[in-house]
Amino acid sequence: MRNKGLALALSFIIYHFSFSPVRAQTDTLTIAMVGDVMMGTTYPSQMLPQNEGKDLFRDAAAILRRADLTLGNLEGTLCDGGRSTKGSGPNSYSFRTPTSFAPRLKEVGFDYMSMANNHANDFGQEGIESTERCLREQGILFSGIEGRVESAVIERSGKKIGLCAFGHNSYTLKHTDLKVVGRIVDDLVKRCDLVIVSFHGGAEGRTQSHLPQGGETFLGENRGSLRQLAHFCIDHGADVVYGHGPHVLRCAEVYKGRFIAYSLGNFCTPYNVSLTGISGYAPLVEIKIDPATGRFLRGQVHPFIQTRGIGPRTDTTGAVIRQMKQLSDADVPQSQAVIDAQGRILLRATPK
């Protein structure tokens, strides 16, 4: 497996915001994916982990670092000032992680973070610009805000990999507009060998772990028709689709030989996010795909559970894997893969 520190040292940024470290070709590409990451906040009061967050990813760091490509959703901003754009109601939260925490993402190997979520604009333009600056300084790619960075390209295993992200609210590139989704995915398919799509969508809360048929709404907002979205992206040539947003994990599916995770839930959200029960389940999904074709080969659900102020810690109870397996068996029985009791994601002997 690669040494990410060496890869970063050999990399360079080009005009199209691509990141292209020198890399030998291999017969598999390993991708690690997690859901929401918000390492702590200074708003409305200071709620930060000990040791400047250096222990947050302790249990998961080795898996995150060893992957060829490590992906997550940055739930909130990396900034030190600004005024909150949110109201003061019971369902209104603003996340402002200090810029000094940005190196924590690089240290554990994140290559790309989605910004297409309902907290990227918590501190307005100042917060967005500060977050983008912090990620660029760490060599981490990003996309998802309308009118800013639409997509990113990275090279792994001798292949160009396109990355894009979609959200449901006004300032994001919206997954509820399939014309926008199709245009961006089609562009990446033309320019790249492989394409990965991230989306932030779905209704929120502990009662929303099952993937419904059709559209979802939450607090009066259209949160998307996520089965349709994921299949649409793969039908347009995407190779991997992963989601987040409900704050609980959901099922995983292999469709037309391509991997879909419908929600990876909360991964590292130690403060101001409910971690009670299944809301604290924090899966890290590691998959291997064929870099020549993008087809799913096999995968593993690495189970973690969050504790307030601590971050994700290894789940020794079997609860996280059991939940993801049960949801996948129930909600996507047509999937070409199954999750076994050890968390292995395996292709069926006879694909459906």
Side-chain angles (χ1 to χ4, degrees), residues 181-211:
V181 175
R183 175 180 62 78
I184 293 172
V185 172
D186 289 348
D187 172 67
L188 287 175
V189 168
K190 291 175 185 176
R191 295 194 287 126
C192 301
D193 302 295
L194 300 166
V195 173
I196 300 174
V197 177
S198 166
F199 67 84
H200 200 73
E204 298 181 20
R206 288 187 292 276
T207 64
Q208 305 299 327
S209 57
H210 282 286
L211 177 70

Side-chain angles (χ1 to χ4, degrees), residues 163-185:
L163 299 142
C164 57
F166 302 97
H168 54 74
N169 50 313
S170 61
Y171 55 85
T172 65
L173 294 163
K174 288 176 280 297
H175 58 67
T176 53
D177 187 340
L178 292 182
K179 288 185 179 180
V180 170
V181 175
R183 175 180 62 78
I184 293 172
V185 172

Side-chain angles (χ1 to χ4, degrees), residues 110-121:
F110 280 103
D111 297 296
Y112 172 86
M113 300 298 286
S114 164
M115 289 181 63
N117 58 66
N118 55 321
H119 287 285
N121 191 48

Side-chain angles (χ1 to χ4, degrees), residues 81-95:
R83 177 176 294 183
S84 171
T85 61
K86 298 288 183 67
S88 58
N91 295 308
S92 184
Y93 297 90
S94 293
F95 299 139

